[in-house]
Amino acid sequence: MLILGIETSCDETAAAVVENGAVIYSNVVATSLKEHSQFGGVIPEIASRRQLEYINKVTSAALDKAGVALNDIDAIAVTQSPGLIGSLLVGVSFAQALGFALSKPCISVDHIKSHIYANYLSTKEVNRPLAQAKKELPFPAIGLVVSGGHTSLYLIKSLLSFEIIGSTRDDAAGEAFDKVARLLELGYPGGPIIDKFAQKGKPTDLKFPEAKLKNALDFSFSGVKTAVLYYVRGCRNKLKHSIEDVAFAFQDSVARALINKCFEACRQYKAKTLLIGGGVAANSFLRNQLIEKSKEHKIKVSFPAMSLCVDNAAMIAGYGFHLAKRRKHV
Ligand code: KG4
Ligand code: ZN
């Protein structure tokens, strides 16, 4: 069964063709990221205008790359929420119109759950059928979605059963990376840049705090962001540590908080698997630390391939397959 996925929740315009929720035939992403970088964040009006321009071309490219025609598609899956309202509107209107014209079902997909589902897609790095992926990543699982807009922990009992057990009280992890990079005048988006700088940094006497919250599974990143701001202000024009070491200390604080909560959730819910998703899941330090700690805790940890951590439509088409099956659409 072939699903055409459409994703337009933020600055990207993406389309993909995925077979049976696992095999990616094509995965095309266009982005207006460069146009936003001068503002230090995504400008919704620019994003949705570009999406209107790109959506036809990106969809045609995804079909061409997959070597299929529109009529070969069994259903269309589209990101319904969460996201920028104008951007979502472009994708949903396009997908619904396409479904109507082709007399094919149009399935609404939750963007956050699909970030977790990216772990079950077959890629060049991890090439495996869905049945094998399910065997290797058994439930109950704890899911951590760390993106520019969300930081949430889920108890996942099956691919279709997600229960939220923790979330951020203020900034999302990716948002904190973006804001701290801006503060350090490193550019936008901040996550990949801080990741790079921190790789050349080392642990020093500089430590940023980790928030202590009543609900042990909630997050807060506004404190660490403010701590970096006060540190920079306190240094006036000259940082007391190298920028690489500051990046390392900040990243270490965010990673520690994420890791501690993940394993606390695994312990509380007796989870067998830890599934990570979202843009921050591409962070090299977080990945390495989680792999190390998962050995200690004897928990299987999984990350999507790098290209599937950030927003894409393959995860939408992949997860859409299971929703379509449940509704007996395909
Ligand atoms: O999932 P995503 O592409 O979009 C949203 O749904 O928000 O995530 C984007 C976020 C940005 O905040 C970006 O700075 C962050 O992911 N990010 C990273 C890395 N790559 C992207 N954060 C830390 N380390 C990275 N390597
Ligand atoms: Zn996302």
Side-chain angles (χ1 to χ4, degrees), residues 267-281:
R267 190 191 62 76
Q268 280 186 28
Y269 292 95
K270 298 186 175 51
K272 298 177 179 157
T273 311
L274 183 53
L275 303 167
I276 316 290
V280 185

Side-chain angles (χ1 to χ4, degrees), residues 7 9 111-112 115 145 147-148 278-279 309-311 315:
E7 151 67 33
S9 67
H111 179 86
I112 304 295
H115 264 306
V145 178
S147 71
C309 285
V310 287
D311 290 346
M315 65 185 194

Side-chain angles (χ1 to χ4, degrees), residues 7 9-12 82 111-112 115 145-150 173-178 188-196 251 277-284 306 309-312 315:
E7 151 67 33
S9 67
C10 193
D11 58 274
E12 75 300 316
H111 179 86
I112 304 295
H115 264 306
V145 178
V146 263
S147 71
H150 294 84
E175 190 181 356
F177 270 96
D178 294 337
Y188 176 84
I193 307 173
I194 290 196
D195 191 346
K196 247 192 197 156
Q251 184 178 263
V280 185
N283 186 270
S284 58
M306 286 295 191
C309 285
V310 287
D311 290 346
N312 66 87
M315 65 185 194

